[in-house]
Amino acid sequence: MAKKKKSGKGHHHRGHQEDNEDSNTVGILTVLAEWLRRMWAAIVQILGLQQRPAPTTPSPTPSTRQQATDAAEEKNDDKLENEESRGVIPFKFKKLKEHMGGVYLVRHGEREDHTNQGWKGRYKADPPLSKRGLRQAEDTGSFLTDSEPRPVVIFCSPFLRTLQTAGEIARSMKVPICVEPGLSEFLSARTFKAEPKLNPSSMEGLPIDSSYTPLLSNLPSFPEKEHQAAQRFLSTVTALADLNPTASIICVTHRFGAASLIDSCLSRIRSATVRPVGYCSVTCLVRKGPTRNKAEKGWGYQGEIAGVSHLVESSSMYFKR
């Protein structure tokens, strides 16, 4: 019996030792966990202090070398743009009166066959203006009369729609019309099946200058390619400006003619988008004398490009012929 009691006391003593060892282990782990937590918090704080200024750091400015490179590239681009502008120097003038003469490109007013699908005429390639087109021409005449105080010469394509437009301008400005076939419609084979026949009575009742000798005696040869027509318009307008160096000239023409001349003036200029050339839109090109780098004269523009803000009634069919 005595041996049994001794054995029980030993077993109880070993149980207490194991409990103490477990408590020590838990304590060590707790201390270690707390240490790790504090270390992690310290690491996070350090990293946070290093990253905190980043959001408020201003964006880096280009280096002096980069700025010089950008300036050199821009200067080179401008030089290439001027050299590749097909003989047209792009300048924008603030005041037209400071320069010799100007060229007003005017597209004809709205066509009757484009607003009245049932229109049938004997000369299908030579339709008249619609009622709205006539009002647009009147508005354009008033606008040009107020805009240009100097001597003016009006040149016009021989098509009926351009003659009617020029007629309203001529009545407002009280000057005659010089009929110039060099300003005729682009005679594309995609548009015309054959050489267009014009209304022979289209000039009746208009103040035509019979003393004027046109640069091109007849309509351009049919069919005409796009680059040929563009060159024709540019050559014609340039020659007309040369013949009238002290006067402003008004060229009443067609969509393609106005668009090609605007494109020549604005070609290779960054971010320049030629607007649609609307009915009775007006673009003023101006002539500049020799510059420091170029001996020849060049073209620039003043005011709106293909502007229609002067019209009380504008048309939505900008891309029509």
Side-chain angles (χ1 to χ4, degrees):
M1 296 295 292
K3 290 182 179 179
K4 289 183 180 179
K5 289 181 180 179
K6 187 176 180 180
S7 175
K9 289 181 180 179
H11 177 75
H12 181 70
H13 179 71
R14 285 195 301 271
H16 279 294
Q17 288 180 343
E18 291 175 355
D19 291 341
N20 291 336
E21 290 176 358
D22 292 342
S23 298
N24 292 337
T25 302
V26 171
I28 293 172
L29 291 176
T30 302
V31 172
L32 181 61
E34 180 63 19
W35 180 80
L36 290 174
R37 185 186 67 78
R38 291 183 179 184
M39 288 296 295
W40 177 251
I43 292 172
V44 169
Q45 185 176 6
I46 293 172
L47 293 176
L49 290 173
Q50 292 176 348
Q51 296 174 355
R52 193 175 301 162
T56 58
T57 302
S59 57
T61 56
S63 63
T64 303
R65 179 179 297 179
Q66 183 63 39
Q67 291 177 346
T69 301
D70 293 342
E73 290 178 354
E74 184 175 355
K75 183 176 180 180
N76 186 57
D77 289 344
D78 292 339
K79 181 179 179 181
L80 291 176
E81 288 165 4
N82 287 338
E83 290 176 349
E84 297 176 8
S85 60
R86 290 181 285 175
V88 181
I89 306 174
F91 289 97
K92 186 174 182 179
F93 303 116
K94 295 182 179 179
K95 295 182 180 180
L96 179 61
K97 63 183 180 180
E98 296 178 355
H99 304 272
M100 297 293 289
V103 176
Y104 290 89
L105 299 177
V106 180
R107 187 193 173 189
H108 59 77
E110 183 182 80
R111 294 169 49 153
E112 176 65 25
D113 60 334
H114 286 165
T115 187
N116 178 11
Q117 299 299 324
W119 179 83
K120 294 182 181 180
R122 180 177 179 183
Y123 302 94
K124 295 182 179 180
D126 196 21
L129 295 180
S130 66
K131 291 181 180 180
R132 179 162 55 181
L134 288 170
R135 292 193 293 269
Q136 291 171 343
E138 292 175 2
D139 291 342
T140 304
S142 299
F143 169 72
L144 292 174
T145 301
D146 296 337
S147 302
E148 187 49 73
R150 292 176 300 183
V152 168
V153 183
I154 299 177
F155 296 94
C156 177
S157 161
F159 283 71
L160 177 57
R161 53 189 178 274
T162 49
L163 284 166
Q164 288 179 314
T165 303
E168 297 299 330
I169 298 172
R171 292 187 185 95
S172 179
M173 306 191 81
K174 296 179 173 56
V175 293
I177 301 171
C178 300
V179 180
E180 176 52 65
L183 299 174
S184 295
E185 177 68 278
F186 168 33
L187 302 186
S188 170
R190 293 176 295 178
T191 304
F192 301 98
K193 295 181 180 180
E195 182 176 347
K197 295 182 179 180
L198 305 186
N199 190 333
S201 60
S202 59
M203 299 184 191
E204 293 180 2
L206 297 177
I208 303 298
D209 186 353
S210 58
S211 65
Y212 172 69
T213 302
L215 300 175
L216 192 64
S217 56
N218 298 302
L219 289 178
S221 300
F222 177 83
E224 192 175 27
K225 295 184 178 180
E226 185 171 324
H227 73 276
Q228 294 173 329
Q231 183 59 46
R232 166 170 61 85
F233 281 109
L234 181 59
S235 299
T236 299
V237 171
T238 301
L240 294 176
D242 288 340
L243 292 173
N244 300 273
T246 60
S248 292
I249 66 175
I250 297 174
C251 294
V252 184
T253 184
H254 305 263
R255 185 203 64 81
F256 180 87
S260 65
L261 287 166
I262 293 171
D263 179 65
S264 294
C265 182
L266 299 182
S267 65
R268 305 294 295 175
I269 297 181
R270 287 190 303 259
S271 302
T273 302
V274 178
R275 300 179 186 177
V277 181
Y279 289 125
C280 272
S281 62
V282 177
T283 303
C284 181
L285 303 182
V286 284
R287 209 76 183 272
K288 186 177 175 64
T291 64
R292 295 178 181 177
N293 300 323
K294 291 182 177 291
E296 73 274 12
K297 294 180 180 180
W299 288 109
Y301 68 95
Q302 188 266 344
E304 289 186 271
I305 301 297
V308 293
S309 59
H310 61 282
L311 299 178
V312 175
E313 298 179 83
S314 60
S315 301
S316 60
M317 295 180 289
Y318 288 145
F319 292 98
K320 299 289 185 179
R321 292 183 295 110

